[in-house]
Amino acid sequence: MQVPGLVWTLTLAGIAGLVLFDFYFHVRRAHIPTLREAGFWSAIYVGLAIVFGFGVLIFGGRDMGAEYFAGWVTEKALSVDNLFVFLVLLGSFKVPRADQQKVLLFGIVFSLIARTGFIFLGAALINSFAWVFYVFGLILLITAGNLLKSEDGDGRSADNVMIRLARRFLRTSDTYDGDKLFTVQDGKRVMTPMLLVMVAIGGTDILFALDSIPAIFGLTQSVYLVFTATAFSLLGLRQLYFLLDGLLDRLIYLSYGLAAILAFIGVKLVLHALHENNVPFINGGDRVDVVEISTGMSLAFIVGVLVVTVVASLLSPKGRAQTYVAAARRHAAEFLDIETDPKYCDEIFHKLLEEEAHLKQLPEKYRARIRQEQELMALLTRAHEVHEERVLAGVCFRP
């Protein structure tokens, strides 16, 4: 698919315009997006991505349209998985809720820039070395295997290597100063934790790109489609974070679905590499006659796996229990540490009470397991004690 320079220019200008619009009309003024606001703008960005896809379908043909949609759906699913890590990072750094939008938008912009570099690098390698398909396929198969392991690894930890490096080389203050990146402490200008968490999210996203970019190159080799599918999957990610905040922990089978998708694309890449083979020690450097997986079949498989994964997660009693536990832990932590503004005192405590009510309605086997989580029970007890103290101080009201 040969894309004229004018189309590239208009596409880049449109994406830059969407990012600037997001900043000036939503992020510049610190606030907590309502569910209605997050849902509305998430739908807008998804709609834009779909409309763009139909444009590709009309002007580029059925195959190009299918490749774009397969790439966009895959990248969107991987970006939802990234939200788990963002959730851990924002909680670990105790970023005030109203300032989380700025951090997320920075992460999206950094990701867009970094992945654009990876895309052109990947395209250059593919055009020069056919064996790169073998490497990309192997990367995806290894990533799929890692996703099937325990989810307590570095991928979803708030203490991965990028953050440890940031903590070591960047000196910051212990407290936030609104959404400022620098503040004055003891007469000296120092960085705030806001800058540190931005570095952490930006650095972590580089690790995400190592499986994201090979995955989409397994579905299309058009640089334009790879770039636009990646860009549209990232646009609206900030709004999606606030929309899915309470549901992220519910998607307990998402990792299995993503593992199946990455493994499928990995196999597709290896088959394509065999079909285009020129590696001397494989079949004497000649191509191998193997069955190649069509783009239509790839799109159907990806959508089917995601539908089954999401439905199974939403219907799972274990997922429901995990959602309530995670929400109660998050609201208790916000009440104690993050949301120090009295304005949010009653709002967050009432959310905590709602989650505790949900926990009491769970089957006994799940309630018994929850009571055994001493750290969680201590956190909830402490939240209630602090609430009583704030009620006596006149900061909060008794529910």
Side-chain angles (χ1 to χ4, degrees):
M1 181 180 181
Q2 296 297 323
V3 180
L6 177 61
V7 175
W8 267 105
T9 302
L10 292 175
T11 301
L12 293 172
I15 291 172
L18 288 172
V19 172
L20 291 174
F21 173 84
D22 208 14
F23 175 77
Y24 280 103
F25 289 93
H26 295 111
V27 175
R28 187 171 56 169
R29 180 180 62 85
H31 71 287
I32 302 175
T34 63
L35 189 63
R36 180 179 179 182
E37 177 186 342
F40 175 78
W41 287 106
S42 293
I44 291 293
Y45 281 107
V46 169
L48 288 174
I50 293 175
V51 169
F52 182 85
F54 278 111
V56 173
L57 190 66
I58 293 170
F59 294 103
R62 186 177 63 180
D63 290 342
M64 291 299 164
E67 288 180 8
Y68 166 80
F69 279 112
W72 175 68
V73 170
T74 301
E75 292 296 302
K76 199 67 176 178
L78 289 170
S79 70
V80 171
D81 193 51
N82 296 353
L83 291 181
F84 284 98
V85 182
F86 292 164
L87 186 65
V88 173
L89 286 171
L90 294 175
S92 173
F93 285 97
K94 300 180 180 180
V95 180
R97 185 75 166 167
D99 297 324
Q100 290 180 1
Q101 291 197 97
K102 188 172 185 179
V103 176
L104 290 170
L105 184 61
F106 168 83
I108 291 170
V109 173
F110 181 88
S111 176
L112 210 56
I113 295 172
R115 294 190 188 205
T116 299
F118 279 120
I119 288 169
F120 283 101
L121 175 61
L125 289 174
I126 288 172
N127 290 332
S128 302
F129 310 103
W131 53 262
V132 170
F133 285 110
Y134 288 113
V135 177
F136 280 3
L138 182 61
I139 289 174
L140 294 183
L141 291 172
I142 293 174
T143 304
N146 289 334
L147 282 174
L148 295 177
K149 296 180 181 179
S150 171
E151 295 180 357
D152 295 327
D154 274 349
R156 287 189 177 179
S157 168
D159 189 32
N160 62 39
V161 63
M162 300 304 300
I163 299 172
R164 290 196 295 271
L165 289 174
R167 288 187 185 276
R168 179 176 179 181
F169 293 106
L170 296 179
R171 295 183 178 180
T172 64
S173 63
D174 295 328
T175 57
Y176 289 89
D177 186 5
D179 60 359
K180 295 179 181 178
L181 302 182
F182 295 89
T183 188
V184 176
Q185 190 176 70
D186 298 329
K188 296 181 180 180
R189 194 165 184 261
V190 296
M191 292 174 287
T192 68
M194 182 67 71
L195 183 59
L196 182 59
V197 70
M198 285 183 174
V199 171
I201 283 184
T204 303
D205 195 77
I206 293 177
L207 302 179
F208 292 149
L210 295 179
D211 57 62
S212 174
I213 299 305
I216 193 169
F217 268 116
L219 299 168
T220 177
Q221 279 81 63
S222 167
V223 176
Y224 183 76
L225 294 183
V226 170
F227 172 76
T228 52
T230 301
F232 278 109
S233 72
L234 292 172
L235 292 173
L237 191 60
R238 176 187 62 80
Q239 294 86 346
L240 192 64
Y241 171 86
F242 289 96
L243 180 64
L244 298 181
D245 192 2
L247 289 176
L248 284 175
D249 296 292
R250 188 73 172 265
L251 302 177
I252 60 174
Y253 299 125
L254 180 61
S255 290
Y256 298 102
L258 291 177
I261 291 172
L262 293 180
F264 175 84
I265 298 175
V267 171
K268 185 176 186 295
L269 275 170
V270 172
L271 291 176
H272 180 72
L274 290 170
H275 191 266
E276 302 293 330
N277 179 63
N278 59 7
V279 179
F281 56 84
I282 298 179
N283 197 36
D286 296 327
R287 58 182 293 178
V288 181
D289 291 327
V290 293
V291 176
E292 288 206 76
I293 302 172
S294 68
T295 303
M297 183 182 297
S298 299
L299 180 58
F301 178 84
I302 291 166
V303 173
V305 168
L306 288 177
V307 169
V308 171
T309 298
V310 172
V311 171
S313 296
L314 295 177
L315 296 178
S316 168
K318 179 182 177 182
R320 187 166 63 251
Q322 186 168 305
T323 300
Y324 296 152
V325 169
R329 179 182 287 110
R330 185 164 60 253
H331 289 140
E334 288 176 354
F335 181 79
L336 291 172
D337 300 320
I338 301 176
E339 302 295 356
T340 56
D341 190 332
K343 176 181 177 182
Y344 305 114
C345 177
D346 295 303
E347 178 184 343
I348 293 179
F349 190 73
H350 276 84
K351 289 181 179 179
L352 175 60
L353 293 179
E354 290 176 3
E355 299 305 333
E356 289 180 325
H358 288 147
L359 292 176
K360 293 177 181 178
Q361 295 172 2
L362 291 172
E364 175 56 30
K365 67 175 183 178
Y366 292 112
R367 283 184 285 146
R369 293 175 187 173
I370 293 171
R371 288 193 295 268
Q372 293 174 2
E373 294 189 29
Q374 297 180 0
E375 183 181 351
L376 173 62
M377 299 309 295
L379 182 65
L380 297 178
T381 300
R382 177 59 181 156
H384 282 271
E385 291 174 351
V386 170
H387 181 261
E388 286 298 321
E389 295 173 2
R390 293 179 180 178
V391 167
L392 294 176
V395 176
C396 292
F397 296 100
R398 195 178 301 279

